[in-house]
Amino acid sequence: MKIPLLLIFVFLTISCNQQSKKTISDDAEIKKVSDGFSFTEGPTSDKVGNLYFTDQPNNRIYKYDIAGNLSIFSDRSGRSNGLYIDDKQNLWACADGKNQLWKYSLDGEKEIVLNPSGEVNFNGPNDVWVHQNGNLYFTDPIYQRPYWVNEHDTVGPQSIFLLKNGNPILLDSTLMQANGVVGNSKENLLFVADIGAHKTYRYKINIEGELESKTLFIEKGSDGMTLDANGNLYLTGEGIDIYDRDGHFLQHIDIPEKWTANVCFGGENFEYLFITASKSLYRVKTNVNSVR
């Protein structure tokens, strides 16, 4: 049976369009950068592309520089989980073990910004993102940690908070278990993964820094997340799933670990996607780069 040339043309056109939308080529190498950790999390990059990430059970923050050197940035990190470097090059750390948010300078000086007295019981700050205007957003789910000395019960909403002028403001009391958070400062958008409800939401950030126009982005939760310059959203868990700005599925990336915790862009030209997955750190070259 002869297939009409028009159908062949349409098929090839659709196939090429699908390939062109992929942010990671099918033949791109997923390279293991380093291993031997207990559980990697919280990758973030500074303005030149150096990567910072945590090994939470071992209470460490690592730095992997653009020359390929791995070093310990902090070995007393408060059991930090999520990290984020803001436009002023402050490194924010969700010090889960202390129920605090810490702010580091990149030369290692530390300031406790959220809950400095330790008297306020949060569930355990988990992930963090900072708008270019300085407003900070963090999630506060409950995960019982083996290193907690006492039983740690949920004491408040497992949701998304705004830290503004030093004060935490609950933004959405309806979330079941917020986890990953990432935003786009230029478009004033915030994405929050409700991993407990297996959903990811998109919000508009208003002039006060609070959230409005809540929209279900995708029926899928996530641990950590990142955005690229094209507005594509990267969700983690069992590998990486990538969706375009309208919530259409683009591609899945398998990672050879039990769990993929988080992702971010880094490297000298911000063209590498760095992946914290279980006991290892990976990277893969992409066709895009990050957005702030």
Side-chain angles (χ1 to χ4, degrees), residues 233-278:
L233 183 68
Y234 298 65
L235 305 184
T236 61
E238 296 179 352
I240 302 167
D241 288 310
I242 308 172
Y243 296 85
D244 70 14
R245 62 171 53 247
D246 298 314
H248 300 133
F249 177 77
L250 292 181
Q251 64 185 124
H252 174 81
I253 307 299
D254 281 321
I255 305 299
E257 299 282 348
K258 291 182 178 179
W259 186 253
T260 300
N262 215 328
V263 288
C264 83
F265 285 86
E268 191 170 4
N269 298 310
F270 291 89
E271 61 186 357
Y272 284 97
L273 186 70
F274 283 89
I275 305 146
T276 51
S278 299

mmCIF file of all heavy atoms in Angstrom, residues 233-278:
data_model
loop_
_atom_site.group_PDB
_atom_site.id
_atom_site.type_symbol
_atom_site.label_atom_id
_atom_site.label_comp_id
_atom_site.label_asym_id
_atom_site.label_seq_id
_atom_site.Cartn_x
_atom_site.Cartn_y
_atom_site.Cartn_z
ATOM 1 N N LEU A 233 9.026 23.706 32.672
ATOM 2 C CA LEU A 233 9.126 23.340 34.083
ATOM 3 C C LEU A 233 9.628 21.904 34.201
ATOM 4 O O LEU A 233 9.127 21.007 33.526
ATOM 5 C CB LEU A 233 7.761 23.471 34.762
ATOM 6 C CG LEU A 233 7.718 23.200 36.268
ATOM 7 C CD1 LEU A 233 8.459 24.286 37.032
ATOM 8 C CD2 LEU A 233 6.270 23.104 36.749
ATOM 9 N N TYR A 234 10.605 21.692 35.093
ATOM 10 C CA TYR A 234 11.226 20.389 35.296
ATOM 11 C C TYR A 234 10.782 19.853 36.655
ATOM 12 O O TYR A 234 11.045 20.471 37.690
ATOM 13 C CB TYR A 234 12.748 20.510 35.263
ATOM 14 C CG TYR A 234 13.301 20.994 33.948
ATOM 15 C CD1 TYR A 234 13.026 22.268 33.466
ATOM 16 C CD2 TYR A 234 14.112 20.167 33.171
ATOM 17 C CE1 TYR A 234 13.530 22.720 32.250
ATOM 18 C CE2 TYR A 234 14.632 20.605 31.947
ATOM 19 C CZ TYR A 234 14.330 21.882 31.501
ATOM 20 O OH TYR A 234 14.833 22.319 30.296
ATOM 21 N N LEU A 235 10.105 18.702 36.660
ATOM 22 C CA LEU A 235 9.635 18.073 37.880
ATOM 23 C C LEU A 235 10.471 16.834 38.171
ATOM 24 O O LEU A 235 10.930 16.152 37.247
ATOM 25 C CB LEU A 235 8.163 17.679 37.747
ATOM 26 C CG LEU A 235 7.164 18.774 37.368
ATOM 27 C CD1 LEU A 235 5.744 18.216 37.381
ATOM 28 C CD2 LEU A 235 7.266 19.973 38.278
ATOM 29 N N THR A 236 10.648 16.532 39.449
ATOM 30 C CA THR A 236 11.507 15.413 39.834
ATOM 31 C C THR A 236 10.744 14.395 40.668
ATOM 32 O O THR A 236 9.664 14.641 41.172
ATOM 33 C CB THR A 236 12.723 15.907 40.629
ATOM 34 O OG1 THR A 236 12.271 16.564 41.827
ATOM 35 C CG2 THR A 236 13.559 16.866 39.816
ATOM 36 N N GLY A 237 11.354 13.239 40.814
ATOM 37 C CA GLY A 237 10.794 12.116 41.552
ATOM 38 C C GLY A 237 11.405 10.856 40.990
ATOM 39 O O GLY A 237 12.564 10.538 41.258
ATOM 40 N N GLU A 238 10.641 10.146 40.173
ATOM 41 C CA GLU A 238 11.178 8.988 39.450
ATOM 42 C C GLU A 238 11.750 9.481 38.126
ATOM 43 O O GLU A 238 11.106 9.403 37.079
ATOM 44 C CB GLU A 238 10.083 7.939 39.264
ATOM 45 C CG GLU A 238 9.595 7.372 40.587
ATOM 46 C CD GLU A 238 8.491 6.348 40.416
ATOM 47 O OE1 GLU A 238 7.992 6.180 39.282
ATOM 48 O OE2 GLU A 238 8.121 5.726 41.429
ATOM 49 N N GLY A 239 12.955 10.022 38.197
ATOM 50 C CA GLY A 239 13.546 10.684 37.040
ATOM 51 C C GLY A 239 13.056 12.110 36.931
ATOM 52 O O GLY A 239 12.639 12.721 37.923
ATOM 53 N N ILE A 240 13.087 12.664 35.721
ATOM 54 C CA ILE A 240 12.711 14.052 35.470
ATOM 55 C C ILE A 240 11.657 14.097 34.379
ATOM 56 O O ILE A 240 11.803 13.462 33.331
ATOM 57 C CB ILE A 240 13.944 14.871 35.021
ATOM 58 C CG1 ILE A 240 15.048 14.811 36.070
ATOM 59 C CG2 ILE A 240 13.554 16.328 34.742
ATOM 60 C CD1 ILE A 240 16.390 15.312 35.566
ATOM 61 N N ASP A 241 10.584 14.837 34.638
ATOM 62 C CA ASP A 241 9.560 15.079 33.626
ATOM 63 C C ASP A 241 9.545 16.565 33.294
ATOM 64 O O ASP A 241 9.543 17.407 34.197
ATOM 65 C CB ASP A 241 8.182 14.647 34.122
ATOM 66 C CG ASP A 241 8.048 13.142 34.196
ATOM 67 O OD1 ASP A 241 8.374 12.467 33.204
ATOM 68 O OD2 ASP A 241 7.641 12.628 35.259
ATOM 69 N N ILE A 242 9.530 16.886 32.018
ATOM 70 C CA ILE A 242 9.617 18.268 31.548
ATOM 71 C C ILE A 242 8.326 18.646 30.840
ATOM 72 O O ILE A 242 7.833 17.906 29.977
ATOM 73 C CB ILE A 242 10.822 18.450 30.603
ATOM 74 C CG1 ILE A 242 12.109 17.920 31.259
ATOM 75 C CG2 ILE A 242 10.984 19.927 30.233
ATOM 76 C CD1 ILE A 242 13.305 17.878 30.333
ATOM 77 N N TYR A 243 7.778 19.807 31.229
ATOM 78 C CA TYR A 243 6.531 20.315 30.652
ATOM 79 C C TYR A 243 6.760 21.721 30.117
ATOM 80 O O TYR A 243 7.530 22.495 30.700
ATOM 81 C CB TYR A 243 5.425 20.358 31.720
ATOM 82 C CG TYR A 243 5.058 18.994 32.246
ATOM 83 C CD1 TYR A 243 5.786 18.408 33.277
ATOM 84 C CD2 TYR A 243 3.993 18.285 31.705
ATOM 85 C CE1 TYR A 243 5.463 17.150 33.759
ATOM 86 C CE2 TYR A 243 3.655 17.022 32.187
ATOM 87 C CZ TYR A 243 4.395 16.469 33.210
ATOM 88 O OH TYR A 243 4.076 15.220 33.683
ATOM 89 N N ASP A 244 6.065 22.062 29.029
ATOM 90 C CA ASP A 244 6.204 23.409 28.496
ATOM 91 C C ASP A 244 5.376 24.384 29.327
ATOM 92 O O ASP A 244 4.694 23.995 30.285
ATOM 93 C CB ASP A 244 5.864 23.475 27.007
ATOM 94 C CG ASP A 244 4.380 23.286 26.703
ATOM 95 O OD1 ASP A 244 3.542 23.366 27.623
ATOM 96 O OD2 ASP A 244 4.052 23.069 25.518
ATOM 97 N N ARG A 245 5.423 25.658 28.982
ATOM 98 C CA ARG A 245 4.791 26.690 29.803
ATOM 99 C C ARG A 245 3.270 26.555 29.875
ATOM 100 O O ARG A 245 2.640 27.146 30.750
ATOM 101 C CB ARG A 245 5.167 28.082 29.307
ATOM 102 C CG ARG A 245 4.737 28.408 27.906
ATOM 103 C CD ARG A 245 4.941 29.876 27.563
ATOM 104 N NE ARG A 245 6.279 30.360 27.819
ATOM 105 C CZ ARG A 245 6.583 31.264 28.747
ATOM 106 N NH1 ARG A 245 5.641 31.749 29.530
ATOM 107 N NH2 ARG A 245 7.810 31.689 28.893
ATOM 108 N N ASP A 246 2.685 25.761 28.973
ATOM 109 C CA ASP A 246 1.250 25.537 28.991
ATOM 110 C C ASP A 246 0.857 24.223 29.654
ATOM 111 O O ASP A 246 -0.313 23.842 29.656
ATOM 112 C CB ASP A 246 0.699 25.574 27.560
ATOM 113 C CG ASP A 246 0.903 26.931 26.901
ATOM 114 O OD1 ASP A 246 0.608 27.941 27.560
ATOM 115 O OD2 ASP A 246 1.357 26.966 25.742
ATOM 116 N N GLY A 247 1.844 23.527 30.207
ATOM 117 C CA GLY A 247 1.561 22.272 30.888
ATOM 118 C C GLY A 247 1.548 21.055 29.994
ATOM 119 O O GLY A 247 1.141 19.973 30.427
ATOM 120 N N HIS A 248 2.020 21.201 28.758
ATOM 121 C CA HIS A 248 2.088 20.059 27.847
ATOM 122 C C HIS A 248 3.386 19.284 28.095
ATOM 123 O O HIS A 248 4.459 19.873 28.204
ATOM 124 C CB HIS A 248 2.029 20.517 26.385
ATOM 125 C CG HIS A 248 0.779 21.255 26.050
ATOM 126 N ND1 HIS A 248 0.771 22.436 25.349
ATOM 127 C CD2 HIS A 248 -0.522 20.987 26.330
ATOM 128 C CE1 HIS A 248 -0.469 22.863 25.209
ATOM 129 N NE2 HIS A 248 -1.265 22.003 25.798
ATOM 130 N N PHE A 249 3.257 17.965 28.154
ATOM 131 C CA PHE A 249 4.411 17.102 28.397
ATOM 132 C C PHE A 249 5.391 17.169 27.227
ATOM 133 O O PHE A 249 4.995 17.058 26.073
ATOM 134 C CB PHE A 249 3.947 15.659 28.616
ATOM 135 C CG PHE A 249 5.074 14.683 28.796
ATOM 136 C CD1 PHE A 249 5.758 14.600 29.991
ATOM 137 C CD2 PHE A 249 5.446 13.852 27.747
ATOM 138 C CE1 PHE A 249 6.798 13.696 30.159
ATOM 139 C CE2 PHE A 249 6.479 12.938 27.898
ATOM 140 C CZ PHE A 249 7.155 12.857 29.111
ATOM 141 N N LEU A 250 6.679 17.349 27.534
ATOM 142 C CA LEU A 250 7.713 17.393 26.504
ATOM 143 C C LEU A 250 8.549 16.121 26.475
ATOM 144 O O LEU A 250 8.722 15.517 25.424
ATOM 145 C CB LEU A 250 8.632 18.600 26.725
ATOM 146 C CG LEU A 250 8.023 19.980 26.513
ATOM 147 C CD1 LEU A 250 9.077 21.058 26.760
ATOM 148 C CD2 LEU A 250 7.467 20.110 25.101
ATOM 149 N N GLN A 251 9.068 15.702 27.633
ATOM 150 C CA GLN A 251 9.907 14.513 27.638
ATOM 151 C C GLN A 251 10.187 14.043 29.062
ATOM 152 O O GLN A 251 10.036 14.810 30.022
ATOM 153 C CB GLN A 251 11.240 14.758 26.906
ATOM 154 C CG GLN A 251 12.139 15.795 27.540
ATOM 155 C CD GLN A 251 13.385 16.074 26.709
ATOM 156 O OE1 GLN A 251 13.634 17.202 26.359
ATOM 157 N NE2 GLN A 251 14.172 15.057 26.411
ATOM 158 N N HIS A 252 10.597 12.785 29.158
ATOM 159 C CA HIS A 252 11.003 12.174 30.421
ATOM 160 C C HIS A 252 12.477 11.816 30.342
ATOM 161 O O HIS A 252 12.944 11.327 29.311
ATOM 162 C CB HIS A 252 10.174 10.915 30.711
ATOM 163 C CG HIS A 252 10.642 10.164 31.907
ATOM 164 N ND1 HIS A 252 10.305 10.528 33.194
ATOM 165 C CD2 HIS A 252 11.450 9.072 32.019
ATOM 166 C CE1 HIS A 252 10.869 9.703 34.058
ATOM 167 N NE2 HIS A 252 11.567 8.814 33.367
ATOM 168 N N ILE A 253 13.198 12.056 31.420
ATOM 169 C CA ILE A 253 14.618 11.713 31.492
ATOM 170 C C ILE A 253 14.806 10.707 32.613
ATOM 171 O O ILE A 253 14.516 10.991 33.779
ATOM 172 C CB ILE A 253 15.489 12.963 31.766
ATOM 173 C CG1 ILE A 253 15.198 14.070 30.743
ATOM 174 C CG2 ILE A 253 16.969 12.581 31.771
ATOM 175 C CD1 ILE A 253 15.486 13.693 29.313
ATOM 176 N N ASP A 254 15.274 9.517 32.271
ATOM 177 C CA ASP A 254 15.581 8.501 33.281
ATOM 178 C C ASP A 254 16.901 8.820 33.965
ATOM 179 O O ASP A 254 17.884 9.188 33.299
ATOM 180 C CB ASP A 254 15.670 7.117 32.644
ATOM 181 C CG ASP A 254 14.309 6.507 32.372
ATOM 182 O OD1 ASP A 254 13.409 6.682 33.219
ATOM 183 O OD2 ASP A 254 14.152 5.859 31.325
ATOM 184 N N ILE A 255 16.931 8.686 35.274
ATOM 185 C CA ILE A 255 18.155 8.846 36.060
ATOM 186 C C ILE A 255 18.409 7.518 36.773
ATOM 187 O O ILE A 255 17.481 6.971 37.384
ATOM 188 C CB ILE A 255 18.014 9.987 37.092
ATOM 189 C CG1 ILE A 255 17.615 11.292 36.394
ATOM 190 C CG2 ILE A 255 19.322 10.177 37.870
ATOM 191 C CD1 ILE A 255 18.603 11.807 35.368
ATOM 192 N N PRO A 256 19.625 6.975 36.717
ATOM 193 C CA PRO A 256 19.883 5.639 37.278
ATOM 194 C C PRO A 256 20.025 5.632 38.803
ATOM 195 O O PRO A 256 21.025 5.172 39.354
ATOM 196 C CB PRO A 256 21.190 5.235 36.589
ATOM 197 C CG PRO A 256 21.894 6.516 36.318
ATOM 198 C CD PRO A 256 20.805 7.508 35.992
ATOM 199 N N GLU A 257 19.009 6.162 39.487
ATOM 200 C CA GLU A 257 18.964 6.144 40.952
ATOM 201 C C GLU A 257 17.526 5.892 41.377
ATOM 202 O O GLU A 257 16.580 6.067 40.595
ATOM 203 C CB GLU A 257 19.441 7.487 41.533
ATOM 204 C CG GLU A 257 20.863 7.870 41.186
ATOM 205 C CD GLU A 257 21.923 7.146 42.015
ATOM 206 O OE1 GLU A 257 21.557 6.495 43.022
ATOM 207 O OE2 GLU A 257 23.102 7.228 41.652
ATOM 208 N N LYS A 258 17.323 5.531 42.654
ATOM 209 C CA LYS A 258 15.978 5.243 43.148
ATOM 210 C C LYS A 258 15.105 6.496 43.159
ATOM 211 O O LYS A 258 13.910 6.424 42.940
ATOM 212 C CB LYS A 258 16.059 4.647 44.555
ATOM 213 C CG LYS A 258 16.646 3.245 44.588
ATOM 214 C CD LYS A 258 16.644 2.698 46.011
ATOM 215 C CE LYS A 258 17.187 1.274 46.042
ATOM 216 N NZ LYS A 258 17.201 0.744 47.431
ATOM 217 N N TRP A 259 15.710 7.655 43.441
ATOM 218 C CA TRP A 259 14.910 8.871 43.578
ATOM 219 C C TRP A 259 15.697 10.067 43.068
ATOM 220 O O TRP A 259 16.894 10.227 43.376
ATOM 221 C CB TRP A 259 14.531 9.108 45.040
ATOM 222 C CG TRP A 259 13.581 10.254 45.238
ATOM 223 C CD1 TRP A 259 13.878 11.477 45.766
ATOM 224 C CD2 TRP A 259 12.184 10.289 44.922
ATOM 225 N NE1 TRP A 259 12.750 12.275 45.804
ATOM 226 C CE2 TRP A 259 11.697 11.566 45.292
ATOM 227 C CE3 TRP A 259 11.304 9.362 44.357
ATOM 228 C CZ2 TRP A 259 10.363 11.931 45.104
ATOM 229 C CZ3 TRP A 259 9.976 9.729 44.187
ATOM 230 C CH2 TRP A 259 9.520 11.000 44.558
ATOM 231 N N THR A 260 15.048 10.887 42.275
ATOM 232 C CA THR A 260 15.627 12.143 41.813
ATOM 233 C C THR A 260 15.014 13.262 42.642
ATOM 234 O O THR A 260 13.816 13.523 42.544
ATOM 235 C CB THR A 260 15.344 12.360 40.318
ATOM 236 O OG1 THR A 260 15.911 11.276 39.573
ATOM 237 C CG2 THR A 260 15.949 13.670 39.835
ATOM 238 N N ALA A 261 15.831 13.914 43.461
ATOM 239 C CA ALA A 261 15.310 14.868 44.440
ATOM 240 C C ALA A 261 15.159 16.280 43.886
ATOM 241 O O ALA A 261 14.186 16.962 44.184
ATOM 242 C CB ALA A 261 16.209 14.904 45.679
ATOM 243 N N ASN A 262 16.121 16.736 43.060
ATOM 244 C CA ASN A 262 16.088 18.147 42.683
ATOM 245 C C ASN A 262 16.986 18.399 41.477
ATOM 246 O O ASN A 262 17.838 17.571 41.141
ATOM 247 C CB ASN A 262 16.535 19.013 43.866
ATOM 248 C CG ASN A 262 15.807 20.329 43.930
ATOM 249 O OD1 ASN A 262 15.431 20.889 42.909
ATOM 250 N ND2 ASN A 262 15.592 20.838 45.134
ATOM 251 N N VAL A 263 16.796 19.560 40.864
ATOM 252 C CA VAL A 263 17.532 19.920 39.651
ATOM 253 C C VAL A 263 17.770 21.425 39.614
ATOM 254 O O VAL A 263 17.028 22.200 40.206
ATOM 255 C CB VAL A 263 16.770 19.514 38.365
ATOM 256 C CG1 VAL A 263 16.775 18.024 38.163
ATOM 257 C CG2 VAL A 263 15.344 20.045 38.397
ATOM 258 N N CYS A 264 18.812 21.837 38.903
ATOM 259 C CA CYS A 264 19.007 23.257 38.596
ATOM 260 C C CYS A 264 19.988 23.375 37.436
ATOM 261 O O CYS A 264 20.675 22.419 37.094
ATOM 262 C CB CYS A 264 19.523 24.039 39.815
ATOM 263 S SG CYS A 264 21.307 23.957 40.070
ATOM 264 N N PHE A 265 20.051 24.553 36.843
ATOM 265 C CA PHE A 265 21.007 24.810 35.775
ATOM 266 C C PHE A 265 22.288 25.396 36.362
ATOM 267 O O PHE A 265 22.260 26.135 37.348
ATOM 268 C CB PHE A 265 20.421 25.784 34.751
ATOM 269 C CG PHE A 265 19.398 25.158 33.857
ATOM 270 C CD1 PHE A 265 18.063 25.085 34.248
ATOM 271 C CD2 PHE A 265 19.763 24.617 32.635
ATOM 272 C CE1 PHE A 265 17.114 24.497 33.439
ATOM 273 C CE2 PHE A 265 18.817 24.031 31.806
ATOM 274 C CZ PHE A 265 17.486 23.968 32.207
ATOM 275 N N GLY A 266 23.401 25.061 35.731
ATOM 276 C CA GLY A 266 24.684 25.583 36.181
ATOM 277 C C GLY A 266 25.757 25.317 35.140
ATOM 278 O O GLY A 266 25.465 24.947 34.002
ATOM 279 N N GLY A 267 26.988 25.504 35.541
ATOM 280 C CA GLY A 267 28.097 25.422 34.604
ATOM 281 C C GLY A 267 28.406 26.783 34.032
ATOM 282 O O GLY A 267 27.639 27.742 34.209
ATOM 283 N N GLU A 268 29.522 26.919 33.350
ATOM 284 C CA GLU A 268 30.017 28.211 32.898
ATOM 285 C C GLU A 268 29.013 28.978 32.055
ATOM 286 O O GLU A 268 28.888 30.196 32.156
ATOM 287 C CB GLU A 268 31.328 28.019 32.120
ATOM 288 C CG GLU A 268 32.051 29.298 31.834
ATOM 289 C CD GLU A 268 33.452 29.067 31.284
ATOM 290 O OE1 GLU A 268 33.819 27.899 31.058
ATOM 291 O OE2 GLU A 268 34.180 30.057 31.085
ATOM 292 N N ASN A 269 28.269 28.284 31.202
ATOM 293 C CA ASN A 269 27.280 28.945 30.347
ATOM 294 C C ASN A 269 25.848 28.593 30.739
ATOM 295 O O ASN A 269 24.920 28.844 29.973
ATOM 296 C CB ASN A 269 27.526 28.561 28.878
ATOM 297 C CG ASN A 269 28.883 29.023 28.387
ATOM 298 O OD1 ASN A 269 29.244 30.173 28.552
ATOM 299 N ND2 ASN A 269 29.645 28.104 27.803
ATOM 300 N N PHE A 270 25.683 28.015 31.904
ATOM 301 C CA PHE A 270 24.368 27.616 32.411
ATOM 302 C C PHE A 270 23.623 26.720 31.423
ATOM 303 O O PHE A 270 22.406 26.775 31.323
ATOM 304 C CB PHE A 270 23.526 28.844 32.769
ATOM 305 C CG PHE A 270 24.047 29.577 33.972
ATOM 306 C CD1 PHE A 270 24.989 30.590 33.821
ATOM 307 C CD2 PHE A 270 23.624 29.251 35.236
ATOM 308 C CE1 PHE A 270 25.495 31.247 34.923
ATOM 309 C CE2 PHE A 270 24.121 29.904 36.347
ATOM 310 C CZ PHE A 270 25.057 30.912 36.198
ATOM 311 N N GLU A 271 24.362 25.877 30.738
ATOM 312 C CA GLU A 271 23.743 24.985 29.760
ATOM 313 C C GLU A 271 23.636 23.550 30.266
ATOM 314 O O GLU A 271 23.104 22.681 29.571
ATOM 315 C CB GLU A 271 24.537 25.007 28.448
ATOM 316 C CG GLU A 271 25.973 24.543 28.595
ATOM 317 C CD GLU A 271 26.777 24.720 27.313
ATOM 318 O OE1 GLU A 271 26.186 25.160 26.311
ATOM 319 O OE2 GLU A 271 27.981 24.417 27.326
ATOM 320 N N TYR A 272 24.140 23.308 31.490
ATOM 321 C CA TYR A 272 24.043 21.977 32.074
ATOM 322 C C TYR A 272 22.924 21.929 33.098
ATOM 323 O O TYR A 272 22.751 22.847 33.898
ATOM 324 C CB TYR A 272 25.354 21.569 32.745
ATOM 325 C CG TYR A 272 26.438 21.170 31.771
ATOM 326 C CD1 TYR A 272 27.416 22.081 31.387
ATOM 327 C CD2 TYR A 272 26.473 19.895 31.221
ATOM 328 C CE1 TYR A 272 28.402 21.726 30.479
ATOM 329 C CE2 TYR A 272 27.461 19.533 30.308
ATOM 330 C CZ TYR A 272 28.419 20.453 29.952
ATOM 331 O OH TYR A 272 29.384 20.098 29.047
ATOM 332 N N LEU A 273 22.162 20.844 33.059
ATOM 333 C CA LEU A 273 21.186 20.566 34.097
ATOM 334 C C LEU A 273 21.875 19.662 35.114
ATOM 335 O O LEU A 273 22.327 18.566 34.783
ATOM 336 C CB LEU A 273 19.966 19.859 33.510
ATOM 337 C CG LEU A 273 18.804 19.636 34.478
ATOM 338 C CD1 LEU A 273 18.138 20.964 34.832
ATOM 339 C CD2 LEU A 273 17.786 18.669 33.878
ATOM 340 N N PHE A 274 21.990 20.149 36.358
ATOM 341 C CA PHE A 274 22.570 19.355 37.435
ATOM 342 C C PHE A 274 21.444 18.673 38.203
ATOM 343 O O PHE A 274 20.398 19.274 38.459
ATOM 344 C CB PHE A 274 23.411 20.222 38.361
ATOM 345 C CG PHE A 274 24.748 20.576 37.786
ATOM 346 C CD1 PHE A 274 24.913 21.719 37.008
ATOM 347 C CD2 PHE A 274 25.851 19.761 38.002
ATOM 348 C CE1 PHE A 274 26.144 22.042 36.466
ATOM 349 C CE2 PHE A 274 27.090 20.077 37.452
ATOM 350 C CZ PHE A 274 27.244 21.224 36.687
ATOM 351 N N ILE A 275 21.692 17.442 38.590
ATOM 352 C CA ILE A 275 20.647 16.584 39.142
ATOM 353 C C ILE A 275 21.149 15.952 40.435
ATOM 354 O O ILE A 275 22.155 15.235 40.434
ATOM 355 C CB ILE A 275 20.281 15.477 38.127
ATOM 356 C CG1 ILE A 275 19.877 16.091 36.778
ATOM 357 C CG2 ILE A 275 19.190 14.573 38.674
ATOM 358 C CD1 ILE A 275 20.265 15.261 35.588
ATOM 359 N N THR A 276 20.457 16.237 41.539
ATOM 360 C CA THR A 276 20.769 15.562 42.793
ATOM 361 C C THR A 276 19.834 14.365 42.914
ATOM 362 O O THR A 276 18.613 14.515 42.946
ATOM 363 C CB THR A 276 20.603 16.504 43.995
ATOM 364 O OG1 THR A 276 19.319 17.130 43.951
ATOM 365 C CG2 THR A 276 21.686 17.573 43.993
ATOM 366 N N ALA A 277 20.412 13.172 42.961
ATOM 367 C CA ALA A 277 19.618 11.946 42.935
ATOM 368 C C ALA A 277 20.220 10.925 43.897
ATOM 369 O O ALA A 277 21.311 10.406 43.650
ATOM 370 C CB ALA A 277 19.556 11.374 41.518
ATOM 371 N N SER A 278 19.531 10.712 45.000
ATOM 372 C CA SER A 278 19.926 9.717 45.996
ATOM 373 C C SER A 278 21.364 9.943 46.458
ATOM 374 O O SER A 278 21.653 10.961 47.057
ATOM 375 C CB SER A 278 19.708 8.305 45.454
ATOM 376 O OG SER A 278 18.334 8.100 45.168
#
